Amino acid sequence: MTAARRGPLVAGTWLIGLGVVFIIQTAMGWGWGEAWPLFVILAGVAGLVTTAIDGVHGFGGIWAFTWPIVTIVVGILFLLGTTGQLGATPFDLLAQWWPVGLVVLGVWFLIGALIPGQRPQEQLVVPLTGTGNGSVRIQFGAGELRARRSAAGTLVDGSFEGGVVKRDLGPGRIELKQDTSSGMPWLDKRSSWDVGLSGEVPLDLDIQTGAAKALLDLADLQARNVKIQTGASETRIRLPRAAGMTNVQTNAGAASLTIEVPEGVAARIRTRIGLGSSDIDERRFPRSLNGYESPDFATAANKADIDIQGGVGSVRVVGVA
């Protein structure tokens, strides 16, 4: 399904659904205090349609329908409650039945874990096609992510266990996302990516991870801008050895983040950590007025300007050979 066709189908589903909601509300004479669960049901139906449009791959793909079905069932129960069919309010239903709902969902996921599902293993190669620079955005929710230098003549290459969805954003610019069409990564299936990134042209990297373990070796890349956003993750990044100036922005949630600065690369480091801790190698990067800075930062041929923001977690910046 192409993006050009997918968009109108999803929009059409929502418009038809909204119209049906208003028709039912008017026909039944319900106030919105009674009819509001119709919107919950509509969200579930739209989720079913979207999942069906994206396609179901193998028997294991049925698990992608889990949350839309749960949403529809919850919406129906709420509607029966608001209209007096069950003799209880939605909040009474939640208070009474939420433990049962947890048990049912737990059994569902156990069955999904025991029934073999498809584990797509994809190979992807994106050529440079003569571009003088590149931009790669990676959205990786859960699993294991590794990055390295790609083969000659490629912007991206690698293997993607669990599947990948590639989106072209223009010449030399792509986005890579996990494929959720056959289930949620790491919950319904294993997800492990080995991503090669070009070292032949300057790169802008935007890497977003969730509950992931990430090892990002950028040492042989010409990364000029590196943006890292992490959730509940463990992330280790080795910065470029010879990229000139590399700007690094990190925003870490409940995460463990380690940044390795190769020998011969100067660094300026600013940290803003909430309920976490920071450990900076002060032998390489002494304290300065605004953070930490290599003595030769202003004149160094290769350097990194590092800005670190964090919530609850630990951050380390270390010098490596």
Side-chain angles (χ1 to χ4, degrees):
M1 176 67 63
T2 64
R5 293 182 59 192
R6 186 182 186 279
L9 284 171
V10 173
T13 299
W14 274 101
L15 290 173
I16 292 171
L18 286 172
V20 171
V21 165
F22 287 109
I23 290 171
I24 292 175
Q25 185 263 339
T26 302
M28 300 300 295
W30 291 333
W32 288 115
E34 298 170 304
W36 64 263
L38 290 171
F39 291 105
V40 179
I41 298 172
L42 171 59
V45 172
L48 278 178
V49 172
T50 301
T51 302
I53 290 173
D54 290 338
V56 177
H57 305 288
F59 183 75
I62 66 172
W63 307 108
F65 290 101
T66 298
W67 294 115
I69 292 173
V70 168
T71 302
I72 291 172
V73 171
V74 169
I76 291 173
L77 291 176
F78 281 179
L79 183 62
L80 293 175
T82 59
T83 57
Q85 303 299 309
L86 294 181
T89 68
F91 301 104
D92 293 334
L93 292 173
L94 278 176
Q96 183 176 359
W97 292 103
W98 69 266
V100 176
L102 291 180
V103 172
V104 171
L105 279 176
V107 171
W108 177 259
F109 285 124
L110 284 176
I111 294 172
L114 294 174
I115 297 176
Q118 186 181 25
R119 301 291 190 269
Q121 176 83 28
E122 299 182 17
Q123 302 295 320
L124 177 66
V125 176
V126 180
L128 276 173
T129 62
T131 182
N133 52 65
S135 174
V136 179
R137 180 189 304 159
I138 296 175
Q139 296 184 351
F140 189 85
E144 297 180 2
L145 171 66
R146 295 175 298 279
R148 52 170 175 78
R149 179 167 177 161
S150 67
T154 62
L155 176 62
V156 169
D157 67 20
S159 61
F160 300 82
E161 183 178 356
V164 61
V165 176
K166 178 178 74 74
R167 180 185 174 200
D168 291 316
L169 304 177
R173 301 173 63 241
I174 67 166
E175 176 185 81
L176 305 176
K177 298 177 64 174
Q178 284 178 307
D179 186 355
T180 60
S181 60
S182 59
M184 295 301 294
W186 214 244
L187 181 61
D188 302 318
K189 62 180 181 180
R190 172 178 167 82
S191 187
S192 178
W193 284 10
D194 177 46
V195 185
L197 301 167
S198 177
E200 300 174 62
V201 296
L203 282 183
D204 293 333
L205 301 177
D206 184 352
I207 301 175
Q208 303 169 25
T209 66
K213 182 177 182 180
L215 178 59
L216 311 175
D217 187 356
L218 313 181
D220 296 324
L221 273 58
Q222 301 180 47
R224 56 188 180 186
N225 294 296
V226 179
K227 184 177 181 181
I228 307 288
Q229 298 182 61
T230 69
S233 66
E234 178 184 348
T235 304
R236 181 179 291 269
I237 311 164
R238 177 163 293 194
L239 298 183
R241 294 190 186 96
M245 169 65 88
T246 300
N247 295 298
V248 181
Q249 293 184 334
T250 70
N251 194 324
S256 170
L257 173 64
T258 300
I259 299 176
E260 299 179 350
V261 183
E263 185 177 356
V265 177
R268 179 169 60 199
I269 304 157
R270 295 175 298 279
T271 62
R272 296 186 294 281
I273 307 297
L275 300 176
S277 63
S278 59
D279 180 12
I280 311 299
D281 184 354
E282 294 190 39
R283 292 174 299 175
R284 283 276 308 272
F285 319 111
R287 287 184 180 270
S288 65
L289 182 62
N290 296 315
Y292 306 83
E293 186 172 318
S294 301
D296 61 340
F297 181 81
T299 58
N302 298 300
K303 50 191 171 185
D305 191 359
I306 305 170
D307 184 85
I308 301 170
Q309 299 183 50
V312 181
S314 64
V315 173
R316 297 176 63 232
V317 180
V318 298
V320 295

